[in-house]
Amino acid sequence: MFTALLDSCVLWPSTLRDFLLSLAIDMPAWSSAVLDEVERNEAVKLTERGPKLSDGEAAQRAAALVRQMRLMFPDAETQGWEPLEGTFDLPDIDDEHVVAAAVLAKAGAIVTENAKDFPSDRIPPQIKILSAREFCRDTVEMNPQLALRAVREMAARSGRSGPRLDEGSILDILEQRYSLHEATAMIRESMNL
C-alpha cells in the first residue's frame, strides 16, 4: 500500500471521510490548505443542512472536526509544501498545494473528485489521480476484511451526533450517495463468508 493525499472534496462529506480514514492502511496525507478547505466547507454544510446551526456554532464544530483529524492522524499533515506551489502549471492555481503536498508526502495517489483539475501531463509520473470510488475499490480489493472492520467500527461510532446506523445502512449510504458500488459489493460479500 502507499500513502494517498486526500483532497478536501473527499474529506468534507462526513460518511465518505469516515470510511476513507477508517480504511487508512498507511497514513493518509493532506496539507494545511486542504484542512482549511475542509473546515470552511464543513461550517457551510452545518449552517445550510439538517438541523441548522448558527454561524458561530458551525465554525466551532468544523474547527473541532479538523482538530480531531489532526489528533487522530498526527503525521498526515505535510509540511513545507509552499515552495513547490505554483510549479505544476495546473488549470486551477488553487489546486497547486495538493500536488505540492503529495510530492513531499511521497504519495502514490491523490484521491479527488476533481480529476480534470489534475491533468496527467502536469502531475509527477509516480502519482496517480484516483477518484474516491477507484481508491476505495482498490483498497477494499486488497483487504476486504480490513474494509469490513472499518464499516463495523463506523457502525459502532454512529449515533453520537446523528442516527445510529448498522453496517448495512452504512454500506447503503456509501453505495447510494458516493457510488462506491464495487467496494461495497466486495464488503457485502466478505460479510457473508
Side-chain angles (χ1 to χ4, degrees), residues 20-190:
L20 287 168
L21 295 178
S22 295
L23 278 179
I25 297 169
D26 285 343
M27 193 62 63
W30 46 64
S31 68
S32 57
V34 164
L35 293 182
D36 289 346
E37 287 178 39
V38 169
E39 189 170 334
R40 278 192 309 275
N41 289 329
E42 184 71 13
V44 168
K45 178 174 68 174
L46 291 170
T47 59
E48 294 179 354
R49 297 185 188 168
K52 295 179 182 178
L53 302 175
S54 71
D55 289 346
E57 292 170 315
Q60 287 177 342
R61 284 189 48 189
L65 167 68
V66 170
R67 276 194 308 277
Q68 184 68 18
M69 290 172 65
R70 284 182 166 128
L71 179 67
M72 297 304 295
F73 298 95
D75 297 324
E77 192 167 336
T78 303
Q79 305 292 325
W81 50 267
E82 295 86 351
L84 291 178
E85 191 173 26
T87 63
F88 303 100
D89 193 31
L90 295 179
D92 184 349
I93 189 75
D94 291 336
D95 289 321
E96 290 276 332
H97 68 91
V98 175
V99 181
V103 167
L104 289 179
K106 296 180 176 47
I110 294 171
V111 182
T112 184
E113 295 304 316
N114 299 321
K116 67 177 178 19
D117 293 335
F118 300 95
S120 61
D121 63 333
R122 298 183 190 166
I123 304 300
Q126 71 275 15
I127 300 174
K128 292 181 180 180
I129 304 300
L130 299 173
S131 67
R133 183 186 54 76
E134 293 166 320
F135 178 77
C136 290
R137 178 199 61 216
D138 295 350
T139 303
V140 172
E141 187 174 49
M142 286 176 28
N143 194 338
Q145 289 302 312
L146 174 73
L148 176 56
R149 186 169 56 241
V151 170
R152 287 182 173 149
E153 289 170 2
M154 289 172 66
R157 286 191 303 266
S158 72
R160 294 179 186 164
S161 62
R164 185 110 179 109
L165 300 172
D166 61 19
E167 296 158 13
S169 298
I170 290 170
L171 290 171
D172 289 345
I173 291 168
L174 292 171
E175 185 172 6
Q176 295 163 9
R177 210 177 279 169
Y178 307 111
S179 299
L180 302 184
H181 305 291
E182 296 158 308
T184 56
M186 286 185 275
I187 296 169
R188 288 181 199 279
E189 187 176 307
S190 69

